[in-house]
Structure formats: C-alpha cells, structure tokens
C-alpha cells in the first residue's frame, strides 16, 4: 500500500517566537513569501501524498483560512489582471485534500499523531514537523517514501550532529551488522530521547520526518506519559521495534530548525538564495554588507 497521507502537527503555542505569535500561529510565520507550513505541504505533495491531516488547536484558524479559497481576493487579482499571482493563490487551495483535527490538550508529539488515528486509518502514513525545513533536490519525505516502498517498514529521517548536541534530539542506535545495501540506510536497534553525550548510542539524530506503519497507533495508545506529562513519539517507535523493523535514513539535503529564531533566519536566507526570481539580487545585497 502506498503512502497517501501525511500528518502535520500544528497545535503548539510557538512561545519561542513571542510576541510575533501572540495573535498568529507560528506555522504561519513567513519564510520569504510563504508560511512555514506551506513548505511542508508542498514537500508532501511532491512526494505523491494527496491527503494532508493538520492537527490544530485553538487560535489556529489562520491555517485553515490559508489553505481555503479566498474568492474575494481571487476576484480582486483577476480584475487587476495579475494572472500569475491569481494562479499561485488558487493553487494553495488545490494542492491536496486537507483535513483538520483538534488537539484539545498539549500532550506531546505522540499524542498529536494519535489524535489523527481515525483520519489515517489502517495504512502507512507520513509525519512531518513543519518547523524542520529541509532544502533538497528531492524532497526529504519523498526519500523516506522510497525507503518505505523498498522495506515496507517504518523509517525515520536522521542526520549527523556533533556529539555535544545529542541532548537536543532523539538519537538512534543503528545496527551496524545489518546489511541494507544502502550506506545511508540503517536498521534501528533502539532510540533514546535527548541523551547526554556520554549515553548517546550514536550521533544520528532524528528530525521531523517519519513514515510509519499504522501499528504505531497501538503503541501510542499503550505509551505512558513521560517527561512533562507528554506522550513521546520516540517511546512508541521504541516499542514498535519489538514487533517490526524500523529503519533510519540519512537524508540528502540541508535541514533548518525554523522553530528557533536563528534557524528561521538561516532558512529564510537559504530559501531566498535558491529562488530564481530573487536569488541573484539577494546574493548581491548580502555580498554588499560589511560584516567585519
């Protein structure tokens, strides 16, 4: 069964970006001229995913409005003769079938994924955290879907991090003895959430891209609340390992943590430089700065 659905958790408060997020969702903060969450939706669509499930909370209506049609705006653009912008605006509402489910309590990433159970059904699905922006020739989630198609197993995206940064991530314990036929692909023996460098089983950190089998919902329902009273997706994947293979894939691309101010700024610069319409002019501006 192919991967047709993606779950995008978007229920967090976005406190790192206060006061900008006091009255708007952090997922709607712009990177260049598109909101952060739109990049994730476009990435999913590029991977052949056509059903998007966004997990929201109160004060997130702007997300729903963004992916809906705005007929007054479209009429205005048509009257002005701005056909290219009209096309782009209409395309947002036509990219995919988008559904919404409300997370009434902030009980962690695992809980957010579990909330989507009824809409996902009994089929493999992607989980994408829009804070993680990945610039790559082939979308990161498409790379994971390729791995799923080969293995028919859950797969998480990983990247190498300096040892001192392992305490910021979930870290995988790879099975170095298992032959996968792909130097980027490892079978996972275990996962540890935010280990101290001395306890980390590797420097392969999990980022916000997953393709999971529906068995994960059973494990999430059985996962007790951990630190902060939250249900950790990492814990459920660890439990899944007892019954099914899970793989880690070192994706091709550059990841930016747009959930932090520095990462958001870095992503903005990189994405602007990659744009054919503004990249050259922006590069000239950057080169003109006196950064000494």
């Amino acid at each position: 069964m192919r991967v047709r659905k993606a779950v995008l958790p978007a229920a967090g408060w976005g406190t790192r970006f206060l006061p900008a997020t006091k009255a708007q969702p952090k997922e709607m903060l712009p990177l260049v001229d598109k909101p952060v969450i739109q990049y994730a939706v476009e990435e999913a669509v590029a991977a052949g995913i056509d059903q998007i499930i966004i997990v929201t909370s109160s004060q997130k209506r702007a997300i729903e409005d963004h992916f809906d049609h705005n007929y007054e705006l479209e009429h205005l653009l048509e009257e002005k003769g701005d056909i290219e912008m009209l096309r782009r605006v209409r395309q947002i509402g036509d990219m995919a079938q988008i559904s919404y489910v409300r997370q009434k309590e902030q009980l962690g990433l695992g809980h957010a994924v579990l909330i989507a159970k009824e809409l996902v059904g009994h089929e493999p699905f992607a989980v994408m955290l829009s804070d993680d922006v990945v610039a790559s020739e082939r979308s990161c989630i498409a790379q994971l879907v390729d791995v799923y198609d080969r293995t028919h197993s859950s797969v998480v995206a990983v990247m190498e991090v300096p040892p001192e940064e392992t305490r910021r991530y979930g870290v995988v314990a790879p099975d170095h003895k298992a032959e996968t036929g792909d130097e980027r692909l490892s079978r996972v023996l275990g996962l540890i959430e935010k280990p101290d460098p001395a306890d980390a089983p590797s420097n392969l950190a999990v980022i916000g891209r997953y393709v999971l089998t529906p068995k994960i919902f059973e494990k999430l329902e059985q996962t007790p609340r951990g630190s902060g009273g939250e249900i950790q997706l990492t814990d459920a994947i660890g439990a899944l390992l007892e019954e099914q293979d899970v793989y880690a894939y070192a994706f091709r691309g550059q990841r930016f943590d747009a959930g932090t101010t520095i990462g958001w700024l870095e992503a903005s610069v990189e994405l602007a430089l990659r744009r054919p319409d503004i990249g050259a002019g922006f590069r000239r501006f950057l080169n003109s700065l006196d950064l000494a």
Side-chain angles (χ1 to χ4, degrees), residues 21 96 102-103 143 149 212 214 226-227 241 248-249 262 267 277:
T21 52
R102 181 69 65 90
Q103 185 182 21
Q143 296 175 51
D149 289 341
L212 302 170
S227 176
L241 279 167
Y249 186 73
I262 291 297
D277 55 339

Side-chain angles (χ1 to χ4, degrees), residues 38-280:
Q38 185 174 331
Y39 288 92
V41 173
E42 290 176 346
E43 181 183 336
V45 171
I49 292 169
D50 53 23
Q51 297 182 47
I52 308 295
I53 301 161
I54 301 179
V55 182
T56 65
S57 60
S58 61
Q59 310 302 318
K60 300 282 184 168
R61 180 60 186 271
I63 297 175
E64 298 183 32
D65 289 343
H66 179 72
F67 289 107
D68 198 359
H69 285 287
N70 185 326
Y71 294 106
E72 292 182 355
L73 174 60
E74 292 175 15
H75 180 68
L76 174 64
L77 293 172
E78 190 170 16
E79 282 194 332
K80 291 175 60 178
D82 194 344
I83 303 305
E84 175 57 24
M85 184 55 68
L86 174 62
R87 182 192 65 79
R88 292 175 60 188
V89 167
R90 280 180 175 167
Q91 186 181 34
I92 295 171
D94 295 332
M95 281 191 295
Q97 176 185 325
I98 300 181
S99 304
Y100 300 89
V101 61
R102 181 69 65 90
Q103 185 182 21
K104 297 179 181 179
E105 294 182 87
Q106 302 293 304
L107 297 179
L109 175 57
H111 182 256
V113 174
L114 182 57
I115 289 294
K117 176 183 177 180
E118 297 303 318
L119 291 177
V120 171
H122 194 72
E123 58 185 280
F125 65 103
V127 175
M128 305 175 65
L129 307 187
S130 57
D131 282 353
D132 279 337
V133 177
V134 181
S136 58
E137 290 187 10
R138 179 165 174 75
S139 77
C140 182
I141 203 65
Q143 296 175 51
L144 297 194
V145 169
D146 289 345
V147 173
Y148 174 82
D149 289 341
R150 284 154 41 199
T151 64
H152 302 290
S153 300
S154 296
V155 54
V156 300
V158 295
M159 67 178 189
E160 292 187 354
V161 298
E164 63 271 17
E165 292 187 13
T166 56
R167 58 170 55 96
R168 296 176 50 206
Y169 301 92
V171 177
V172 304
D175 184 353
H176 296 293
K177 296 180 180 179
E179 293 290 338
T180 64
D182 184 340
E183 63 181 8
R184 291 182 172 271
L185 185 64
S186 304
R187 194 167 71 87
V188 176
L189 293 176
L191 292 93
I192 301 178
E193 184 67 22
K194 299 179 179 178
D196 286 332
D199 300 324
S202 74
N203 68 334
L204 293 176
V206 179
I207 70 153
R209 297 291 186 275
Y210 312 76
V211 172
L212 302 170
T213 65
K215 187 74 173 178
I216 194 67
F217 292 122
E218 176 185 319
K219 300 306 176 185
L220 285 168
E221 289 170 338
Q222 298 169 354
T223 299
R225 297 186 187 185
S227 176
E230 296 186 343
I231 298 173
Q232 299 292 342
L233 181 58
T234 302
D235 292 341
I237 295 174
L240 183 65
L241 279 167
E242 298 175 5
E243 297 185 32
Q244 296 181 351
D245 285 341
V246 176
Y247 289 88
Y249 186 73
F251 65 94
R252 291 178 171 85
Q254 187 175 9
R255 174 255 189 184
F256 300 93
D257 183 0
T260 67
T261 305
I262 291 297
W264 179 81
L265 291 169
E266 291 172 345
S268 297
V269 171
E270 178 64 28
L271 293 172
L273 290 173
R274 286 172 177 254
R275 285 272 295 267
D277 55 339
I278 62 174

